């Protein structure tokens, strides 16, 4: 038997033992959607998450949603109403962000390979570009001049530090993201001289960290770096985007990040900040932390079989919808995401099984030798922490399968 | 500097140094397609590959194409005319296979999680099902009875051996694929008793092996196993699908599999086979080996930047089209696929660079510290071995990017 990650709080069973999501039975949700596999996103959980963040963080710090975590249109509609901005990473996300109702002035666009047509669409719309290189800065200014629009330009900084313990390091040493800190002051002066509307800094040093102290330390370094760069540039950044970093517990032994501790440390950091940043605003950019727990992936058991004494539950889902949960996306050692039998959510484990997907590849494993209640063909398996980097971060067309259903409740 | 995999034979530069694919310049192909990134598949290379296989293998052995490797419709059209059958893995692939013109009787359907609606479509069409469990056998018979159609049923065997050195092991021990060998004879007798049209065995023990001896040894074991199971069942299998296994060289130090050695060993195996299989036909099921080398992924350089002394070429492609090449699909240690600057395909390396994709994630790396000719913004980077498990096996929608162009030449 191998352990699985912790089931997020807030999920319970009804009197029949059926998993409830947003006060509705999992099997009823499947009936409404019309098919499995199905991603269900609980809007109330997302709202609670945003409220938790606001209660924890110092007043005035803005909350941006990094829509790469989950671009499902109804979910964007919820988020647009409760966060202060969207961070996007492509022209496709630009369209989706504008469609959600988010104001262009509250959208910023980061990404190391923006094409001219993407820069043009963003500048025309009035979106802020987080510049990733001097070359991109030149292209943006040229496009702005051609369009007769003053581009809104922030500078993405490649910091000399990274976020300790983060699942994805995006700073510290040579990186394709942003502009090395040493070159930033000169670029800022140049942008201002050229008449750009300089919006400030974007400093993203890592993501998926669970240690509040590490996040706090990085935020302290980030504010210090922003102040130093501002002094060297001789310009006050209107906004300092501190990046994200707050992760979620996927695996056995993971614990939720202590948001209050992050907020208290950030308050202290901001109180003690260099007067150069006295009039700057600050933002955090979160994706996963806001939406992962609100999502559940439901997949139906198609077969139950025993091979050499091991029991396999074969489902109609798989890595084509849940690449990260299968252990095949940026992970070295496969570990089990939180998993349950939705039909017997309150039952004790009764057997050790492996839950596999329907794809004809040994990579397609959703639960490896996990202890679960007895499950039969037709039952639903639930994979949790499915609200981020699930549907859109998986190869939906693989083996001719196609996308899962998605539903906001 | 880190090495990259070997550029496949058959690619050359024109007098300007431009990579030629199917006798056409890479940049001209991009102009015709209208955009980058672009997958180009060379039909002549696929035909040559099939001819090479037929020349190497004993007469009468059938060649099946495993369309999970690449389901691009024009490519299926080419393959349908030159192979003896298609192997499919979903209802979606069933539709694509029938649309390609392949006869239903020459299509077989394997996959551990076939749903009732997929079984029904396959049985109605007259496709052979490779049964993965006793439960699936019962469902197939019930559906056949309901439709008034005699189902064509083969038994997928989970062998007690695996293919040594294979990138994907699909046999040996507890597996979600097929039926344990010990249970197969009874199932075959039961199927025949129940009036099914029993088509034989499907025995797939691994894929992506480069060692001809290992493949030959496994084929020997496979034929032996098929004979033993046939004797125990008291029935001659009309077809024994020997699986695939022949891989392609992706990485530094990889060498092509010696197809002639595989063929010679298979001829000897078949000559010496148990008389129980005297009237059986044999097939190999290949995907990657038939199409990988015929495919090139072309992506344009959007930015060229230096961070902490390292040069990055940022492209408009990335892991959303080339997940395996980025090292994030079933690989533990990232290594470089074969890569080149298409615009200077005949030039010597002049610098060490990292080629990254446009996605805002550190996972998106197509070439890590590779030695390449000097490349500028606007140049095309080519990733080879892109004809299999590229476009359809990657998360095309990630970060709002969308699919690449695809073109058969």
């Amino acid at each position: 038997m191998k352990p699985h990650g912790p089931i997020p709080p807030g999920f319970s069973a009804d009197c029949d033992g059926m998993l409830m999501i947003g006060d509705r039975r999992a099997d009823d949700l499947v009936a409404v959607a019309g098919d499995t596999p199905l991603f269900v996103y609980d809007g109330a959980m997302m709202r609670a998450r945003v409220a938790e963040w606001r209660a924890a963080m110092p007043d005035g710090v803005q909350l941006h949603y990094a829509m790469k975590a989950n671009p499902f249109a109804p979910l964007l509609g919820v988020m647009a109403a409760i966060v202060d901005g969207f961070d996007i990473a492509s022209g496709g996300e630009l369209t989706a962000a504008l469609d959600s109702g988010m104001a262009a002035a509250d959208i910023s666009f980061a990404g190391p390979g923006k094409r001219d047509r993407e820069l043009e669409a963003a500048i025309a719309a009035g979106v802020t570009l987080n510049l990733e290189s001097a070359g991109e800065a030149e292209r943006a200014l040229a496009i702005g001049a051609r369009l007769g629009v003053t581009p809104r330009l922030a500078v993405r900084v490649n910091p000399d530090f990274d976020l300790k313990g983060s699942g994805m390091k995006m700073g510290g040493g040579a990186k394709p993201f942003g502009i090395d800190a040493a070159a930033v002051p000169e670029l800022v002066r140049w942008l201002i001289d050229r008449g750009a509307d300089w919006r400030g800094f974007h400093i993203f040093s890592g993501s998926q960290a669970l240690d509040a102290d590490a996040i706090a330390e990085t935020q302290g370094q980030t504010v210090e770096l922003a102040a130093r760069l501002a002094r060297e540039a001789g310009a006050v950044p209107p906004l300092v985007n501190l990046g994200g970093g707050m992760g979620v517990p996927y695996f056995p032994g993971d614990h939720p990040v202590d948001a209050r501790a992050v907020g208290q440390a950030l308050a202290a950091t901001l109180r003690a900040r260099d007067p150069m940043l006295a009039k700057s605003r600050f933002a955090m950019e979160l994706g996963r932390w806001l939406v992962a727990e609100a999502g559940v992936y439901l997949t139906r058991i198609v077969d139950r079989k025993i091979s050499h004494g091991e029991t396999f539950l074969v489902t109609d889902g798989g890595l084509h919808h849940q690449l990260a949960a299968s252990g095949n996306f940026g992970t070295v050692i496969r570990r089990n995401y939180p998993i349950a039998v939705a039909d017997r959510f309150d039952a004790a484990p009764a057997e050790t099984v492996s839950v596999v997907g329907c794809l004809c590849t040994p990579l397609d494993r959703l639960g490896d030798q996990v202890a679960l209640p007895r499950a039969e063909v037709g039952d639903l398996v639930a994979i949790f922490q499915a609200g981020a980097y699930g549907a859109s971060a998986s190869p939906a067309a693989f083996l001719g399968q196609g996308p899962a259903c998605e539903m906001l409740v």
Side-chain angles (χ1 to χ4, degrees), chain A:
Chain A
M1 197 272 285
K2 297 177 182 173
H4 60 68
I7 308 285
F11 292 101
S12 59
D14 76 351
C15 54
D16 293 333
M18 178 62 70
L19 170 67
M20 304 291 287
I21 308 170
D23 290 329
R24 294 166 72 179
R25 288 171 55 103
D27 57 351
D28 286 348
L29 293 169
V30 168
V32 171
D35 202 3
T36 47
L38 168 66
F39 284 94
V40 182
Y41 310 117
D42 182 339
M45 287 184 74
M46 286 156 35
R47 290 187 189 89
R49 205 69 160 158
V50 169
E52 180 189 349
W53 186 91
R54 293 200 187 277
M57 297 299 144
D59 285 347
V61 176
Q62 296 184 357
L63 177 59
H64 290 195
Y65 174 55
M67 66 173 275
K68 61 170 70 70
N70 190 327
F72 183 54
L75 183 151
L76 294 182
V78 171
M79 297 303 280
I82 57 177
V83 300
D84 307 304
F86 278 179
D87 291 304
I88 63 171
S90 72
E93 288 194 352
L94 172 63
T95 303
L98 293 171
D99 288 349
S100 78
M102 178 58 70
D106 297 323
I107 298 172
S108 71
F109 182 178
K114 303 182 196 84
R115 306 190 211 193
D116 283 348
R117 65 188 185 218
E118 293 176 300
L119 294 175
E120 181 169 332
I123 290 168
V127 160
T128 296
L129 296 170
N130 294 317
L131 297 174
E132 305 270 355
S133 73
E136 191 176 285
E138 283 180 20
R139 289 193 290 138
L141 286 172
I143 289 169
R146 180 161 51 76
L147 297 178
V149 175
T150 301
R152 297 164 63 91
L153 304 178
V155 172
R156 181 172 183 178
V157 181
N158 175 26
D160 293 329
F161 49 84
D162 62 9
L163 172 51
K164 290 183 186 63
S166 58
M168 296 271 181
K169 297 195 190 306
M170 301 183 80
K175 287 282 179 293
F177 309 111
I179 293 153
D180 288 353
V184 166
E186 186 182 339
L187 180 69
V188 169
R189 283 193 299 269
W190 183 78
L191 289 173
I192 293 171
D193 287 348
R194 292 284 300 271
D197 181 5
W198 180 56
R199 304 304 307 157
F201 296 122
H202 180 254
I203 308 178
F204 202 109
S205 49
S207 69
Q208 180 53 17
L210 298 174
D211 178 355
D213 290 343
I215 295 169
E217 182 191 336
T218 299
Q219 290 186 332
Q221 291 175 298
T222 302
V223 172
E224 201 175 288
L225 174 60
R228 178 164 63 79
L229 296 175
R231 284 202 175 273
E232 290 176 15
V236 174
L239 181 75
V240 178
N241 181 326
L242 302 168
M246 292 170 64
V248 299
Y250 285 114
F251 301 119
D254 283 356
H255 295 284
V257 62
D258 184 341
R260 288 183 55 185
V262 173
Q264 285 167 6
L266 181 56
T269 291
L270 294 182
R271 274 195 303 274
R273 73 185 182 271
D274 187 314
M276 189 72 194
L277 301 181
K279 293 191 172 168
S280 298
R281 301 200 71 177
F282 295 85
M284 274 183 74
E285 170 178 339
L286 295 174
R288 192 190 311 265
W289 192 84
L290 294 176
V291 296
E293 290 195 4
V296 182
Y297 178 71
L298 297 170
T299 176
R300 197 177 294 284
I301 298 171
V302 176
D303 204 352
R304 181 188 162 91
K305 59 192 285 190
I306 292 171
S307 171
H308 292 264
E310 289 187 28
T311 300
F312 291 89
L313 305 178
V314 185
T315 68
D316 61 7
L319 69 79
H320 50 301
H321 304 145
Q322 281 283 28
L323 185 63
S326 78
N328 288 296
F329 196 31
T331 20
V332 175
I333 299 172
R334 193 202 174 287
R335 292 180 291 170
N336 289 314
Y337 269 40
I339 186 170
V341 177
D343 297 75
R344 270 169 291 289
F345 188 62
D346 58 354
E351 60 180 0
T352 296
V353 300
S354 287
V355 180
V356 300
C358 59
L359 300 190
C360 201
T361 161
L363 300 176
D364 196 11
R365 192 161 290 221
L366 297 172
D368 187 36
Q369 299 178 52
V370 287
L372 293 178
R374 168 91 189 189
E376 303 296 342
V377 169
D379 285 346
L380 297 169
V381 168
I383 312 280
F384 296 87
Q385 300 286 13
Y389 301 108
S392 69
S394 301
F398 197 32
L399 272 63
Q401 288 290 338
C405 302
E406 295 183 271
M407 175 191 279
L408 178 78
V409 296

